[in-house]
């Protein structure tokens, strides 16, 4: 069963709301899920697991895929860091150096995929 997709109009509105300073749970959750969906579309694959707890996780980036257990390439960060990275408000290097990103595995550097093109 396929995951339901976030409506682009609602997702964009949530991102704009968070960028304007909203910390409402529905706005943050909507923005995170929409941007994860965009990342999945932009970098399809199963090589990296990108986690943004508590709102979502995806597998992305082409390459070898794992089938069981903890994936070898895992990236995890908080919601506001993900939104800032995906929209270009902060670079991968800045967020990583500040300790905002936990990344393990040889393919876990997502700097070439971020920010997402539409932002």
């Amino acid at each position: 069963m396929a995951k339901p997709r976030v409506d682009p109009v609602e997702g964009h509105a949530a991102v704009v709301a968070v960028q304007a300073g909203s910390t409402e749970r529905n706005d943050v959750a909507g923005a995170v899920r929409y941007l994860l969906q965009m990342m999945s579309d932009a970098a399809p694959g199963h090589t990296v697991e990108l986690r943004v707890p508590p709102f979502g996780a995806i597998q992305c980036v082409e390459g070898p895929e794992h089938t069981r257990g903890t994936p070898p390439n895992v990236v995890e960060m908080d919601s506001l860091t993900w939104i800032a990275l995906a929209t270009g408000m902060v670079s991968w290097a800045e967020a990583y150096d500040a300790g905002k990103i936990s990344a393990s595995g040889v393919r876990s550097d997502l700097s070439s995929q971020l920010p997402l093109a539409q932002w």
Side-chain angles (χ1 to χ4, degrees):
M1 177 186 231
K3 273 185 163 178
R5 293 190 54 88
V6 176
D7 177 85
V9 173
E10 291 175 14
H12 187 268
V15 172
V16 169
V18 172
Q19 287 180 314
S22 175
T23 57
E24 291 294 321
R25 184 173 175 85
N26 286 342
D27 289 337
V28 175
V32 166
R33 290 177 182 137
Y34 179 60
L35 293 168
L36 285 172
Q37 176 178 293
M38 290 179 64
M39 178 68 165
S40 183
D41 292 345
H46 298 281
T47 300
V48 177
E49 185 163 297
L50 173 56
R51 301 173 180 168
V52 186
F55 301 117
I58 61 166
Q59 290 187 357
C60 57
V61 183
E62 284 187 31
E65 66 181 81
H66 72 282
T67 55
R68 297 186 336 168
T70 302
N73 302 288
V74 177
V75 176
E76 187 169 323
M77 66 196 75
D78 65 75
S79 301
L80 297 181
T81 300
W82 168 241
I83 294 167
L85 275 171
T87 61
M89 295 172 67
V90 67
S91 73
W92 177 271
E94 291 168 329
Y96 188 82
D97 290 346
K100 300 278 187 175
I101 299 170
S102 170
S104 63
V106 296
R107 297 174 184 262
S108 63
D109 182 341
L110 299 178
S111 60
S112 64
Q113 284 85 19
L114 297 167
L116 297 171
Q118 283 103 348
W119 298 99

